[in-house]
Amino acid sequence: MLEILKQSSNPEICRPLAEAVIEIALEFNRKFGRKPAFMEVCGSHTMSLARTGVKQVLKNEVNLISGPGCPVCVTDQRSIDAMIALAEGENRIICTFGDMMRVPGSAKTLLDSKIAGKDIRVLYSPVDAVRVAEENPDKEVIFLGVGFETTIPILTLMIGEAEKRMIGNFSIWMTTKLVEPVLRFLLDAGEVNLDGFLLPGHVSIVLGEESYQYLVDEYQISGVITGFETAELLSGIYKSIELALSGQAAISNNHPAIVSKTGNQVIHQWLDKYLTNCDEAWRGIGVIPNSGLDLKPEYDQFNAKKRFTVDVGEPRKTKCRCGEVIRGLIAPNECPLFGKACHPINPVGPCMVSAEGSCAAYYQYMRESF
Amino acid sequence: MCVGVPAKVILKKEYSAVVDVMGSQTTVGIIFVPEVELGDFVIVHAGQAMSIVDESYARQSVEEWRRLIDARNSEAVK
Ligand code: SF4
């Protein structure tokens, strides 16, 4: 099996596959007089496309546009400020994914607060936050629950664990986002011309292939569920161009080894048990109705937003254009601050600091080639 | 946050498993994949196995890549 899995980065497969993509993209160009354009919905795709060199290799033939799939990047400034303000309270331990530490708030970052002595802990496995709460019964332990459909189930596991162990000093500050509402927003806004979506491999583990049918039925646009390794990315793009050439909209599962038709049903049960839809504010977009998930009222005791109040003022205005980057309207290097006032050591916006941010991906891997 | 490398299950307990990821071993949760078996490869995200890699589909994908390449080569010969 390992040998099969390794093939996805085998140069003997990837190189000719890249040539095949270029060839079919040129065919598209001959037919339509322009490059085919696809949006990679997922922040991990943005990073993988840059890291593997796929984006650079195809830059003259395929327009790959980063979308709204980096959870940190789409979190609006007021939410970020609220999470940083939350950490200022006494007797608290804030647990978070590493990505959040350096995200610029209006006044400071979580890292600044940690350096100033606040107890802020980065966890790889979020469920450990429940153990932290158990070990510190005199402190309030709050997990910053930022994420899309891949991460949200893990938040429910944490609630299940805290419930089972009757831990009263644990809660989650939920700031979750869902893929479907934001794709609908982008399509309804009609700001970007796309020939299809590269759909997120791992979010699709949860959602399943059939969940994207609305793209075809309501918007007549294709989507190809795509993995993250070089051959998976290239074949996903190949299939996307093939579909665009055919003139038929369809959902294609190019990652069937891990994505099923209906998604992971065990996860669906966990989501149904603990969560309900809620409105969420997106950076650069505003509130999209029912675009996130929050804890059901019966779990208020684990809902940090119900247990703690934080005061945040009007967010500081910057020239950061993350909002437009997220919506696919500009490439990161079109932001006047890119690589000048804004770089990974001194990020102005979350897109430059997140491990899945488009600006970070451009800065790390593509400055030379664009 | 989302990219997970396939990890091989080498020890299964009730709600967790020890997995091998490119030579290093770690414990992950398996609540979301209760049907997982020893020797299976799983996709892990934030400490939890989210999906079991289906070997026959993985094999099919590789075959498909080779077909795309071969189709191109044979067209080039024409
Ligand atoms: S380069 Fe920096 S300031 Fe510009 S959009 Fe990206 S993160 Fe924001």
Side-chain angles (χ1 to χ4, degrees):
Chain A
M1 172 84 131
L2 201 54
E3 272 316 302
I4 304 170
L5 295 171
K6 278 189 194 156
Q7 297 306 311
S8 58
S9 51
N10 177 355
E12 283 172 27
I13 289 183
C14 297
R15 265 195 225 110
L17 208 46
E19 285 163 18
V21 174
I22 289 173
E23 221 160 84
I24 193 169
L26 291 174
E27 191 185 332
F28 182 97
N29 207 322
R30 282 192 293 276
K31 189 166 173 189
F32 297 105
R34 63 174 176 85
K35 289 195 243 181
F38 304 103
M39 176 177 275
E40 80 263 9
V41 173
C42 174
S44 296
H45 269 158
T46 299
M47 228 2 138
S48 299
L49 285 164
R51 179 182 47 79
T52 57
V54 167
K55 198 153 181 160
Q56 295 90 315
V57 164
L58 301 180
K59 67 178 180 183
N60 294 324
E61 290 83 16
V62 184
N63 190 8
L64 292 166
I65 301 163
S66 301
C70 154
V72 173
C73 308
V74 297
T75 305
D76 83 331
Q77 194 60 47
R78 199 181 287 272
S79 293
I80 287 171
D81 290 349
M83 288 187 265
I84 295 169
L86 192 67
E88 293 302 303
E90 292 305 316
N91 240 14
R92 290 177 189 171
I93 300 174
I94 302 294
C95 297
T96 176
F97 288 113
D99 270 33
M100 288 299 295
M101 289 301 281
R102 292 178 55 244
V103 172
S106 290
K108 50 153 70 170
T109 62
L110 281 174
L111 186 60
D112 294 330
S113 301
K114 187 175 170 70
I115 291 167
K118 294 294 172 190
D119 194 342
I120 302 172
R121 305 183 188 185
V122 172
L123 303 179
Y124 166 68
S125 182
V127 181
D128 289 346
V130 182
R131 185 182 41 78
V132 173
E134 202 167 33
E135 290 167 359
N136 295 273
D138 53 337
K139 301 249 172 87
E140 285 294 338
V141 174
I142 307 161
F143 187 82
L144 305 180
V146 176
F148 274 93
E149 282 94 334
T150 332
T151 302
I152 298 170
I154 291 156
L155 305 180
T156 65
L157 268 191
M158 298 161 81
I159 302 298
E161 195 64 16
E163 201 185 12
K164 192 169 82 187
R165 296 206 228 159
M166 292 191 293
I167 294 175
N169 61 325
F170 171 78
S171 58
I172 302 182
W173 187 272
M174 298 283 283
T175 309
T176 64
K177 301 283 188 295
L178 301 174
V179 168
E180 179 175 338
V182 76
L183 292 191
R184 285 182 180 274
F185 171 88
L186 292 176
L187 290 165
D188 289 336
E191 296 170 322
V192 212
N193 287 324
L194 296 173
D195 295 298
F197 288 105
L198 293 182
L199 296 169
H202 290 160
V203 160
S204 305
I205 289 175
V206 176
L207 295 179
E209 178 187 339
E210 289 172 359
S211 71
Y212 297 105
Q213 195 55 35
Y214 66 94
L215 292 174
V216 175
D217 296 344
E218 296 177 47
Y219 297 97
Q220 294 76 50
I221 190 161
S222 295
V224 177
I225 298 168
T226 303
F228 299 91
E229 295 303 325
T230 314
E232 294 168 343
L233 292 164
L234 286 165
S235 56
I237 298 166
Y238 187 98
K239 279 195 182 155
S240 297
I241 303 175
E242 211 172 31
L243 280 172
L245 270 171
S246 78
Q248 292 290 316
I251 301 300
S252 166
N253 184 359
N254 195 45
H255 207 25
I258 67 157
V259 175
S260 68
K261 284 211 177 310
T262 53
N264 183 325
Q265 292 305 311
V266 178
I267 292 181
H268 286 203
Q269 286 166 14
W270 279 81
L271 299 180
D272 290 346
K273 177 170 181 200
Y274 290 104
L275 304 177
T276 181
N277 281 85
C278 68
D279 299 348
E280 273 289 338
W282 296 63
R283 179 179 290 268
I285 291 177
V287 173
I288 304 180
N290 287 325
S291 62
L293 291 171
D294 199 358
L295 289 167
K296 286 183 176 170
E298 53 265 46
Y299 301 104
D300 271 0
Q301 66 181 112
F302 301 114
N303 191 336
K305 285 186 179 168
K306 298 280 167 62
R307 292 181 49 175
F308 307 99
T309 40
V310 286
D311 283 327
V312 284
E314 241 346 92
R316 183 172 60 104
K317 295 248 179 313
T318 69
K319 293 208 171 79
C320 172
R321 296 180 67 185
C322 276
E324 288 153 272
V325 173
I326 289 159
R327 276 147 61 204
L329 302 182
I330 62 165
N333 56 349
E334 290 175 72
C335 168
L337 305 188
F338 179 84
K340 298 182 185 102
C342 181
H343 44 81
I345 304 291
N346 183 30
V348 175
C351 300
M352 186 57 94
V353 70
S354 167
E356 299 179 39
S358 309
C359 299
Y362 261 71
Y363 192 90
Q364 262 176 278
Y365 298 109
M366 299 189 295
R367 269 177 302 159
E368 306 289 300
S369 59
F370 281 81
Chain B
M1 265 184 216
C2 283
V3 177
V5 183
K8 186 176 183 179
V9 175
I10 53 176
L11 183 74
K12 189 186 162 186
K13 298 178 201 158
E14 194 177 2
Y15 298 120
S16 65
V18 178
V19 295
D20 179 289
V21 190
M22 293 184 295
S24 48
Q25 295 183 1
T26 183
T27 299
V28 301
I30 52 167
I31 291 181
F32 295 144
V33 287
E35 71 277 32
V36 76
E37 285 173 14
L38 275 185
D40 280 349
F41 278 76
V42 289
I43 298 292
V44 178
H45 172 64
Q48 297 298 321
M50 307 292 284
S51 176
I52 302 168
V53 182
D54 183 307
E55 182 165 351
S56 62
Y57 277 125
R59 201 180 291 277
Q60 258 180 42
S61 289
V62 177
E63 280 165 15
E64 207 176 311
W65 302 334
R66 292 198 189 277
R67 258 203 313 277
L68 287 181
I69 297 165
D70 289 347
R72 196 182 142 264
N73 287 343
S74 56
E75 265 172 39
V77 173
K78 269 189 241 163

